[in-house]
Amino acid sequence: MKPIGLVLGDTERLQWDFTPLVSAGPLRFGMSHDEVIAALDADPPSTGPCRWGGRLAWFRLPTSYGHALTTYYAESGRLSCIAVDALHGPQVTMDGLRLVGRVPSELVDLFVDHMQLRGLPEAVRCSQYGDLGADELGLVLRAQRAGDILLTRPVFVAREWADRVCDVTEGYVPDEEWQVYC
């Protein structure tokens, strides 16, 4: 078994695509927790409550050696947020742009260029922690510690949670997610 701190290479990761405000890999926003488990073909995850009343779950995947992703469910019980672990999570791409496990400074220019190509350069926002994202995509590119470096940990949200996705205090991304650093 590989050590928990090991960062998987792209070829060792599951390969997923991101459709803004709709899905990441086999997960579609609005799924129930049981539907998420079935879609991932995963063992039952560790779960817990969120401070704001929803629930969260930590999943290991067949290719991971630690938690690969965290799912967050609204009070309705429906999937509203997916955070992909920088070390062990699947590689998620958006129009060919790899979003997981990248050095944040290398992804910044690529992300801004991507938004310009979409005609949305003004949509790029920065969180109070310095993470880039865009409400129009339901995406914030969080940073996660991997030993002595930081790597990208993208957080994808449903349309209902996309407003102020980069705002640590007023957005819908759960407080628990903003506290993930390692």
Side-chain angles (χ1 to χ4, degrees):
M1 179 184 230
K2 295 181 182 179
I4 297 298
L6 181 70
V7 177
L8 295 177
D10 280 351
T11 59
E12 298 173 287
R13 298 174 185 262
L14 294 173
Q15 302 296 308
W16 288 5
D17 288 318
F18 169 58
T19 302
L21 307 171
V22 176
S23 64
L27 304 181
R28 296 184 64 79
F29 295 114
M31 289 176 131
S32 70
H33 181 61
D34 289 339
E35 290 172 324
V36 168
I37 293 171
L40 293 173
D41 193 23
D43 292 330
S46 303
T47 63
C50 288
R51 285 185 277 249
W52 48 268
R55 300 217 33 100
L56 60 85
W58 298 279
F59 284 89
R60 286 181 177 267
L61 297 176
T63 59
S64 68
Y65 299 98
H67 289 158
L69 53 109
T70 305
T71 55
Y72 296 90
Y73 303 85
E75 290 183 43
S76 66
R78 296 297 174 180
L79 179 64
S80 296
C81 181
I82 304 161
V84 178
D85 186 83
L87 284 70
H88 306 281
Q91 181 53 263
V92 183
T93 59
M94 174 180 62
D95 300 327
L97 182 60
R98 293 179 300 113
L99 302 173
V100 180
R102 308 279 305 267
V103 175
S105 61
E106 293 174 359
L107 189 54
V108 166
D109 289 338
L110 296 172
F111 181 70
V112 170
D113 290 347
H114 177 81
M115 294 302 287
Q116 287 177 336
L117 289 173
R118 283 179 161 245
L120 298 169
E122 70 285 345
V124 177
R125 300 281 183 260
C126 189
S127 78
Q128 291 92 325
Y129 295 134
D131 304 307
L132 289 187
D135 294 359
E136 288 78 359
L137 301 177
L139 169 64
V140 60
L141 297 169
R142 299 271 300 117
Q144 178 182 339
R145 181 170 293 285
D148 291 338
I149 62 172
L150 294 176
L151 297 175
T152 52
R153 172 192 178 88
V155 177
F156 308 101
V157 299
R159 185 175 308 281
E160 297 79 24
W161 283 22
D163 185 42
R164 298 174 297 209
V165 73
C166 287
D167 192 317
V168 174
T169 58
E170 296 184 8
Y172 291 95
V173 172
D175 292 341
E176 290 82 355
E177 184 55 38
W178 290 112
Q179 303 308 312
V180 173
Y181 295 108
C182 54

